[in-house]
Amino acid sequence: MRTAQADPAVVLPVRSSGPPLHQVGWRILLALAVLVATTLIVWLDADGYHDNANGRVSLLDAAYYATVTLSTTGYGDIIPVSPGARLVNILVITPLRVLFLIILVGTTLEVLAERTRQQWRIRRWRSAVQQHAVIVGYGTKGRSAVQTLLGHGLAKESIVVVDVQRRAVEQARQDGMVGVVGDATRTATLLLAELPTAAQVVVAPERDDTAVLVTLTVRQLNPLATVVAAVREDENAPLLRQSGADVVVTSSSSAGRLLGMSMLSPDAGAVMEALLTQGRGLDVVERPVAPAEVGGSPRDCADLVVAVVRGGRILDHYDPAAAELRSGDRVISIRRVAPRT
């Protein structure tokens, strides 16, 4: 049984000064502080004011005068009569009146303008985003996946992060990406991420059962996207494949194999770590066969070809069928990363 959760929401990569209600609340407190200060100023100089009702100005009368004065109502029933009181009105109360109006009117205009601007930006983003990548889960695995995508040239504007934790989405927003706060097992959340038009989906939540539910929901909304899912336990990998994941990566087993390899051969482990880490000297890439390479051997390519993808099949380096490259083939190769300047 699911627990009640807040409605999902889109978070755009912009710097925000805080929720609108917090802004309004803070400015209301500031306006009240101005009102209290004005009341005290009038009350401390009550002898310089005249009340047409009874001639004397009490603390309540001072608060009343401050309220009608700052709001520019001005009934004229309480007026400054002494030179000192009039001077204080000119030098102190009039600037406070202007400040009071700026706080109230400025807050209203700013909140309305900001909300309208955000809604306009979200609509514009929705109309433009397509063939993008959706990252479900912005933990260690999700962030590493994003770094790899960015390292291969994918723009930040083409990545949408979905996470149930607001702090994770806030981190994605600070990293320059659009985020969606919500439960990715729910259709409404994935629709906010425009998943039906996505080209790639990375499913990397904290729990394996959540990964299965997310993958099922993703496949229901988008049968054509490439779905890569992470799972902690090997026994759950078949469930993810049956749910529609194109590739399933077992994080615990992969890490264990890398640890074992590094124990037996630290150099081999270092090479594998370099291959798996974006920008660490060597990268594994998939690319189409160039026209000049058609008819030739994978060994003749400039980069080190380790496999050939043909008709949905992966042919390894030693497969006789991969001895001659054909038009339409794709090769998986290892290439050296150019040093950064």
Side-chain angles (χ1 to χ4, degrees):
M1 182 175 181
R2 290 177 174 174
T3 58
Q5 296 185 7
D7 293 335
V10 176
V11 179
L12 295 178
V14 294
R15 183 176 296 277
S16 174
S17 56
L21 290 180
H22 289 181
Q23 297 182 49
V24 173
W26 182 84
R27 296 194 182 193
I28 288 177
L29 291 177
L30 185 58
L32 290 176
V34 173
L35 181 61
V36 170
T38 306
T39 300
L40 292 176
I41 291 173
V42 174
W43 186 58
L44 292 175
D45 191 23
D47 294 338
Y49 291 81
H50 175 74
D51 186 351
N52 293 330
N54 54 21
R56 54 186 295 272
V57 176
S58 64
L59 179 61
L60 178 61
D61 295 331
Y64 165 75
Y65 174 79
T67 302
V68 297
T69 300
L70 293 179
S71 62
T72 69
T73 305
Y75 294 113
D77 47 353
I78 300 177
I79 58 174
V81 293
S82 69
R86 292 182 176 181
L87 183 62
V88 169
N89 263 261
I90 294 173
L91 299 179
V92 179
I93 295 181
T94 297
L96 288 175
R97 180 189 301 119
V98 174
L99 177 62
F100 186 82
L101 294 175
I102 289 176
I103 291 172
L104 294 186
V105 177
T107 297
T108 303
L109 293 178
E110 181 179 348
V111 170
L112 292 177
E114 178 64 22
R115 183 171 299 176
T116 302
R117 183 164 55 249
Q118 287 292 332
Q119 292 175 350
W120 177 79
R121 292 186 70 241
I122 290 175
R123 286 196 298 268
R124 186 180 65 173
W125 170 76
R126 289 189 184 284
S127 64
V129 64
Q130 59 180 341
Q131 297 299 301
H132 56 293
V134 176
I135 311 298
V136 178
Y138 203 57
T140 302
K141 292 176 288 187
R143 290 195 299 270
S144 298
V146 167
Q147 292 173 2
T148 300
L149 292 174
L150 295 176
H152 281 82
L154 191 65
K156 292 183 178 180
E157 294 77 11
S158 297
I159 298 177
V160 180
V161 172
V162 180
D163 201 295
V164 72
Q165 299 291 335
R166 178 168 289 276
R167 64 176 179 271
V169 176
E170 178 66 19
Q171 182 60 54
R173 185 190 68 84
Q174 293 178 0
D175 293 339
M177 291 164 289
V178 174
V180 175
V181 182
D183 183 359
T185 64
R186 299 177 181 271
T187 301
T189 302
L190 296 180
L191 287 177
L192 283 179
E194 296 295 323
L195 190 130
T197 62
Q200 301 96 19
V201 181
V202 174
V203 181
E206 296 297 326
R207 294 168 54 96
D208 288 358
D209 54 351
T210 303
V212 172
L213 290 175
V214 170
T215 304
L216 286 170
T217 309
V218 167
R219 272 295 173 234
Q220 183 183 20
L221 296 174
N222 191 333
L224 302 179
T226 300
V227 179
V228 179
V231 68
R232 291 178 178 271
E233 303 297 335
D234 284 331
E235 61 184 12
N236 295 324
L239 290 176
L240 273 169
R241 294 190 182 93
Q242 293 174 10
S243 301
D246 296 294
V247 180
V248 178
V249 178
T250 307
S251 57
S252 57
S253 295
S254 299
R257 285 191 290 270
L258 184 58
L259 288 172
M261 178 184 296
S262 300
M263 179 64 70
L264 296 174
S265 174
D267 294 333
V271 172
M272 289 301 301
E273 179 67 17
L275 290 174
L276 294 174
T277 305
Q278 178 69 25
R280 287 277 300 275
L282 298 173
D283 275 349
V284 179
V285 298
E286 180 180 344
R287 63 172 180 82
V289 171
E293 297 172 336
V294 174
S297 169
R299 297 177 179 82
D300 298 330
C301 297
D303 45 3
L304 178 59
V305 175
V306 295
V308 177
V309 181
R310 178 179 300 158
R313 295 176 55 213
I314 300 178
L315 310 174
D316 63 41
H317 182 76
Y318 295 102
D319 195 317
E324 181 178 329
L325 297 176
R326 301 177 186 176
S327 178
D329 285 349
R330 298 183 66 84
V331 296
I332 299 175
S333 63
I334 298 174
R335 63 173 54 171
R336 179 175 295 278
V337 179
R340 296 181 179 179
T341 59

